[in-house]
């Protein structure tokens, strides 16, 4: 197995490949790391066959839809996912085959309704269901502390305690844990009474993730982020800063030596040589003068 853990702040993504077939799966990709994912795959000679989101993320922008849209890579999510762009929907116990690797889906609702974990050989990718030293919160859309209790104590924690835990978030650089270590050391898992656990989760009083509304809109619909929309608009729309605009106005005024509000060819040759080169093109009414209105048609002078 080829394995790469890729961090974006506290967000964790995983590129897992089959050495024998060079097929790979990318788990919980983040939109800002596209180049790194491609670079790691190319370095190891891997071809990404599937992109998986373990749940609908509310705190960052998933790259799953981007991979599906631009590279035709199937997007895999749980059956309960609201995302219309999911190509393959897994249910509890379903197996995703990636070359000779077999990832088994485990439905673990609680953090979100569509949360799932993926078990692969000696490790399990827990999404936001189980974190290192914590659990996923349950106060975001479709979160449910009762469901999280069942997913943890009646499901995930009954697996082999030696299983390595790779969560979707880790803000302290620990990388991984094991189920056994989390049972022994995770403070939230020490609250084993159902009622007490649910009460604890409801009273966490955590602050809302940054850009939660935009993240949910983007990740649930496959739409573009505000940053992507602005970048596309900037690439298509001419932009001029106020300082540049002010400088151009001052250059125009300085070149207009007779103060008649227009620039004739002689004035252009003296004060605005680039304009002089295009004078006949910009002087659209052929009156021998270029006005500010006519200058709007000139680009890159």
């Amino acid at each position: 197995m080829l394995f790469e853990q890729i961090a974006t702040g506290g967000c964790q993504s995983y590129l897992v490949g089959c050495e024998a077939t060079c097929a790979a799966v990318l788990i919980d990709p983040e939109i800002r790391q596209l180049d790194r994912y491609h670079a790691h795959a190319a370095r190891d000679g891997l071809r990404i066959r599937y992109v998986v989101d373990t749940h609908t993320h509310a705190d960052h922008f998933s790259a799953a839809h981007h991979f599906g849209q631009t590279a035709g890579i199937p997007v895999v999510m749980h059956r309960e996912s609201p995302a219309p762009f999911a190509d393959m929907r897994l249910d509890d116990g379903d197996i995703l085959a990636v070359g000779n690797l077999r990832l088994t889906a485990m439905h673990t609702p609680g953090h979100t309704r569509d949360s799932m974990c993926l078990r692969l050989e000696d490790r399990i990718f827990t999404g936001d269901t189980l974190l290192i030293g914590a659990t996923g919160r349950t106060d975001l859309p479709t979160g449910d502390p009762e469901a999280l209790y069942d997913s943890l104590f009646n499901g995930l924690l009954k697996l082999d305690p030696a299983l390595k835990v790779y969560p979707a978030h880790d803000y302290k650089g620990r990388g991984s844990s094991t189920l056994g270590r989390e049972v022994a050391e995770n403070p939230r898992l020490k609250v084993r009474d159902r009622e007490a656990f649910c009460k604890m989760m409801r009273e966490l009083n955590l602050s809302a993730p940054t850009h939660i509304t935009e993240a949910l809109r983007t990740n649930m619909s496959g739409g573009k982020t505000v940053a992507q929309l602005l970048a596309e608009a900037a690439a298509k729309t001419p932009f001029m800063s106020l300082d540049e605009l002010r400088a151009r106005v001052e250059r125009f005024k300085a070149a207009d030596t007779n103060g008649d509000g227009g620039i004739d060819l002689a004035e252009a040759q003296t004060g605005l040589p680039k304009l002089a080169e295009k004078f006949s093109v910009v002087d659209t009414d052929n009156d021998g003068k270029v006005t500010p209105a006519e200058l709007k048609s000139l680009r890159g002078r």
Side-chain angles (χ1 to χ4, degrees):
M1 182 198 309
L2 295 171
F3 179 80
E4 191 76 36
Q5 184 171 8
I6 302 165
T8 309
C11 300
Q12 306 294 317
S13 303
Y14 304 94
L15 179 65
V16 186
C18 170
E19 291 184 88
T21 65
C22 295
V25 58
L26 181 59
I27 300 171
D28 287 330
E30 212 271 3
I31 196 67
R32 291 172 292 176
Q33 298 286 8
L34 294 174
D35 290 342
R36 287 187 66 189
Y37 301 138
H38 287 298
H40 284 301
R43 180 198 65 194
D44 295 331
L46 296 174
R47 183 171 179 180
I48 301 174
R49 296 292 189 181
Y50 299 102
V51 178
V52 180
D53 266 343
T54 55
H55 63 286
T56 301
H57 299 284
D59 55 357
H60 68 271
F61 302 109
S62 169
H65 183 244
H66 174 88
F67 276 101
Q69 192 174 47
T70 62
I73 299 173
V75 176
V76 182
M77 300 186 75
H78 187 264
R79 181 173 55 82
E80 293 286 351
S81 170
F85 54 83
D87 301 294
M88 183 182 298
R89 297 177 181 273
L90 301 180
D91 210 339
D92 192 68
D94 286 348
I95 295 176
L96 181 67
V98 182
N100 295 331
L101 303 178
R102 298 293 183 267
L103 291 87
T104 303
M106 185 175 185
H107 188 206
T108 53
H111 174 62
T112 62
R113 185 183 300 123
D114 63 340
S115 289
M116 66 175 176
C117 298
L118 295 170
R119 182 174 179 177
L120 171 63
E121 298 178 2
D122 65 343
R123 64 201 62 198
I124 186 163
F125 302 96
T126 56
D128 279 9
T129 298
L130 177 62
L131 308 178
I132 301 175
T135 65
R137 60 196 294 172
T138 58
D139 59 337
L140 300 179
T142 76
D144 181 350
E146 299 273 353
L148 182 62
Y149 180 90
D150 286 329
S151 294
L152 291 169
F153 293 102
N154 297 324
L156 197 57
L157 301 182
K158 290 188 175 182
L159 300 178
D160 183 354
L163 278 176
K164 298 174 184 176
V165 172
Y166 288 96
H169 290 94
D170 174 28
Y171 296 97
K172 297 183 179 180
R174 292 163 292 192
S176 68
S177 181
T178 65
L179 285 179
R181 185 180 305 142
E182 291 308 303
V183 170
E185 300 176 4
N186 191 318
R188 291 187 192 173
L189 300 185
K190 292 183 181 300
V191 185
R192 302 189 67 86
D193 177 76
R194 184 188 193 92
E195 184 176 345
F197 178 86
C198 294
K199 182 176 185 293
M200 172 189 65
M201 296 303 300
R202 292 189 179 102
E203 295 177 354
L204 288 178
N205 194 30
L206 302 172
S207 59
T210 305
H211 307 307
I212 178 175
T213 301
E214 184 188 1
L216 287 173
R217 173 189 62 78
T218 301
N219 295 335
M220 291 174 67
S221 68
K224 296 178 180 179
T225 67
V226 171
Q228 288 173 313
L229 293 172
L230 290 175
E232 290 180 3
K236 297 177 182 177
T237 306
F239 172 79
M240 185 185 301
S241 69
L242 289 176
D243 288 341
E244 175 65 13
L245 176 61
R246 187 179 299 109
R248 292 190 177 202
V249 170
E250 292 303 322
R251 288 201 300 271
F252 184 91
K253 288 180 179 179
D256 182 18
T257 55
N258 60 15
D260 64 355
I263 303 291
D264 61 29
L265 180 57
E267 289 173 326
Q269 289 172 334
T270 301
L272 295 171
K274 288 188 177 181
L275 173 59
E277 296 172 4
K278 304 178 182 179
F279 194 89
S280 61
V281 176
V282 182
D283 182 20
T284 55
D285 58 7
N286 297 313
D287 65 351
K289 288 185 179 292
V290 171
T291 65
E294 289 173 319
L295 281 172
K296 291 181 179 179
S297 65
L298 186 63
R299 294 292 182 267
R301 71 183 188 281

